[in-house]
Amino acid sequence: MATDGIPDEPDRDEQPPPPDPRYDYDLVAIGSGPGGQKAAIAAAKLGRRVAVIERRHMMGGVSVNTGTIPSKTLREAVMYLTGMAQREVYGASYRVKSDITIEDLFARTQHVIGREIEVVRAQLLRNHVDIHNGAAAFVDPHTIEVTDVDGRRSRFTSQFVVIATGSRPHRPDTVQFDERTVVDSDGVLALDRVPGSMVVVGAGIIGIEYASMFAALGTRVTIIDKRPTMLEMCDPEVVESLKFHLRDLSVSFRLGEEVAGVDSSPRGTVTRLASGKKIAADTVMYSAGRQGQTATLDLAAAGLEADNRGRIHVDDEYRTAQPHIFAVGDVIGFPALAATSMDQGRLAAYRAFDEPARELAGIQPIGIYTIPEISYCGRTEDELTRDSVPYEVGVARYRELARGQIVGDSYGMLKLLVHVDTRELLGVHIFGTSATDLVHIGQAIMACGGTIDYLVDTVLNYPTLSEAYKVAALDATNKIRAVARFSEV
């Protein structure tokens, strides 16, 4: 049984075709993050000759070293040390540790990063994937040159290539980053202390995640974004719930405002807004989107090009303009999540070797690790209204669940969107404890074309947060029944 996220292939009468002698490898993945790793392992499971290229200090890619893993581990440390989850029960002053230092927070982070790096390396080696340490660049569409830290160069060829180089924080030319008071989302992980005040520029997923973490630590946070709303891809009711919770943690919002500049000094920073306002803070964190890491790949040598954000255009099969070269993960843009990148890598490898594969792209879950969590899957109310789809809403509040009271979550909610006529589950939107885990129940039902009748009829463990599904399903069912009853002549 496979333990690396890629199923072992069943025994077959037909063996894989013999390797093409023109190439050193059947598939090479540039990058060992979620997309590259899963592409490499999937190809190896098919009996192919596979290699991964990665810089020596970045095994596991951005996800393990500076992105998903450290930020989510930091969140877990914040949740534990601040006692956030227990304050509903023990009072707002409850703390596990009264004076939380940056060392307290990052000790756990470094431990988890180290373990994850070893897991990634072990999975690749167990599947007989060659690992080449260094920076990759195309020589021609099938030839890649690798330069190691000592400047030594080596070349090899591959029948197929998967570009999975990930992304880095975008840095506007107008901002002077000093890695101390003005930082990006990578620089946050290198702060030498917990700031007393912070300005977060950018109300996207990364910006709001970090804003909520530092607010939980007691930092006075101001969020600035030129857009009128934050997390605009989410359900508006869920976003309003998060804003209410963040305001309770003394977070200020300056939405619809544009940053004109940032002045820094040994004492701190002053952020100047185009409207004339000035905001003083110890630290400014810029979260102005991500930049695909393609600048050093020499894409032109492979007959490819990237846009002004370093992203590569792909088709529905993740093929680039060169059909034998695929690109997956952050380097192709939205949704740029570790979970979706993993599946894109697996699918790219399968399609390279004509292996049957099915993609459930329409119901991929989105997880946002704010405090509290947000997660959703399927369609939103705005989308259904725009498309004139008749739907009903079923809502469950955590405060009405016994488990909600036990875990001290009185603010969480789960919303189901249900087709009035077919009773199909069209969308799931969750805010609160374990949202990113709970969403998969609704995802599984939607993937199977299920209806809310399953949730109404089934028995769920008590007391659990999963009960919210049944409560919300009954709420939607009762509303549909009421409309039918009131419509009777």
Side-chain angles (χ1 to χ4, degrees):
M1 180 178 178
T3 59
D4 41 36
I6 303 293
D8 289 317
E9 291 300 307
D11 294 333
R12 306 181 186 181
D13 295 331
E14 183 181 344
Q15 294 299 314
D20 191 326
R22 294 176 298 172
Y23 305 107
D24 299 315
Y25 292 103
D26 299 314
L27 183 141
V28 167
I30 305 177
S32 64
Q37 179 204 5
K38 298 306 181 188
I41 293 175
K45 297 289 189 187
L46 297 174
R48 306 291 177 160
R49 300 167 303 166
V50 186
V52 163
I53 304 170
E54 184 59 273
R55 292 164 291 172
R56 182 175 294 279
H57 66 288
M58 286 296 289
M59 180 57 63
V62 169
S63 175
V64 167
N65 291 274
T66 61
T68 303
I69 297 303
S71 66
K72 277 51 179 180
T73 308
L74 176 63
R75 179 189 184 276
E76 200 67 26
V78 169
M79 289 290 291
Y80 173 71
L81 293 171
T82 61
M84 279 292 294
Q86 304 300 321
R87 291 182 187 176
E88 186 77 16
V89 177
Y90 299 114
S93 62
Y94 177 77
R95 298 286 190 282
V96 171
K97 192 174 189 293
S98 58
D99 184 20
I100 301 171
T101 68
I102 209 76
E103 289 78 15
D104 295 329
L105 296 170
F106 291 153
R108 182 170 184 164
T109 301
Q110 292 305 316
H111 171 74
V112 173
I113 289 173
R115 293 294 298 272
E116 281 297 299
I117 288 172
E118 290 308 310
V119 167
V120 171
R121 187 185 302 277
Q123 289 180 349
L124 292 172
L125 294 177
R126 185 174 65 243
N127 286 280
H128 309 292
V129 175
D130 291 345
I131 300 174
H132 297 279
N133 293 122
F138 283 100
V139 177
D140 61 48
H142 286 279
T143 306
I144 301 168
E145 183 173 82
V146 180
T147 305
D148 67 16
V149 291
D150 297 319
R152 292 188 295 265
R153 299 185 179 187
S154 57
R155 290 185 179 185
F156 47 81
T157 58
S158 182
Q159 183 179 5
F160 295 99
V161 178
V162 176
I163 300 173
T165 47
S167 63
R168 56 178 173 79
H170 175 66
R171 290 190 165 196
D173 296 333
T174 56
V175 180
Q176 298 300 312
F177 293 86
D178 61 12
E179 312 305 338
R180 185 179 61 84
T181 57
V182 184
V183 299
D184 57 25
S185 57
D186 286 357
V188 166
L189 299 170
L191 290 175
D192 58 4
R193 62 188 176 88
V194 177
S197 55
M198 173 182 280
V199 165
V200 175
V201 182
I205 292 176
I206 295 174
I208 297 298
E209 284 182 347
Y210 276 116
S212 68
M213 290 182 216
F214 281 97
L217 288 167
T219 302
R220 296 188 309 278
V221 177
T222 301
I223 298 172
I224 304 171
D225 199 302
K226 61 184 178 182
R227 294 168 293 188
T229 59
M230 69 180 203
L231 300 178
E232 52 194 10
M233 76 291 292
C234 295
D235 177 84
E237 185 176 1
V238 168
V239 172
E240 282 305 311
S241 296
L242 178 62
K243 284 180 72 175
F244 177 85
H245 190 79
L246 292 177
R247 285 194 178 103
D248 205 39
L249 293 174
S250 301
V251 174
S252 300
F253 294 91
R254 295 291 185 183
L255 300 178
E257 297 262 24
E258 192 161 1
V259 174
V262 178
D263 302 319
S264 61
S265 70
R267 292 186 298 275
T269 66
V270 174
T271 301
R272 293 177 283 105
L273 304 185
S275 63
K277 301 182 183 71
K278 294 182 179 180
I279 303 170
D282 294 333
T283 303
V284 173
M285 189 196 90
Y286 252 82
S287 180
R290 307 282 295 182
Q291 185 86 22
Q293 298 198 101
T294 53
T296 61
L297 288 178
D298 197 359
L299 292 176
L304 300 175
E305 62 181 7
D307 66 14
N308 62 352
R309 279 294 185 105
R311 295 169 298 202
I312 301 173
H313 176 73
V314 295
D315 64 14
D316 292 340
E317 292 193 335
Y318 305 107
R319 295 180 192 268
T320 66
Q322 294 282 6
H324 73 281
I325 301 178
F326 296 77
V328 300
D330 286 20
V331 80
I332 66 172
F334 185 84
L337 300 171
T340 52
S341 299
M342 290 179 187
D343 212 45
Q344 290 168 2
R346 178 184 66 88
L347 291 167
Y350 282 175
R351 285 162 180 165
F353 301 112
D354 297 321
E355 183 74 11
R358 190 162 67 103
E359 182 176 15
L360 300 175
I363 52 171
Q364 290 175 341
I366 303 295
I368 303 174
Y369 290 83
T370 46
I371 299 176
E373 294 178 15
I374 292 174
S375 194
Y376 67 91
C377 184
R379 306 186 71 182
T380 65
E381 288 198 65
D382 287 345
E383 291 170 344
L384 295 173
T385 300
R386 183 191 63 219
D387 295 340
S388 300
V389 177
Y391 73 93
E392 189 53 85
V393 180
V395 176
R397 308 282 179 183
Y398 280 22
R399 64 174 178 265
E400 298 171 351
L401 304 174
R403 189 65 180 177
Q405 298 296 333
I406 292 170
V407 301
D409 186 339
S410 63
Y411 46 80
M413 62 170 287
L414 181 146
K415 176 193 285 191
L416 300 181
L417 305 182
V418 182
H419 197 291
V420 170
D421 299 325
T422 67
R423 303 172 70 88
E424 287 177 278
L425 187 56
L426 302 174
V428 180
H429 302 268
I430 311 174
F431 171 73
T433 303
S434 299
T436 53
D437 285 312
L438 289 172
V439 73
H440 299 125
I441 297 175
Q443 179 193 18
I445 293 171
M446 284 189 281
C448 298
T451 69
I452 57 163
D453 294 320
Y454 166 77
L455 292 170
V456 170
D457 297 338
T458 196
V459 174
L460 297 168
N461 281 333
Y462 175 89
T464 63
L465 294 177
S466 300
E467 283 182 90
Y469 273 100
K470 183 154 189 157
V471 173
L474 287 167
D475 184 42
T477 299
N478 291 333
K479 290 175 181 176
I480 294 171
R481 183 184 294 118
V483 170
R485 187 170 68 250
F486 289 9
S487 299
E488 292 177 356
V489 178

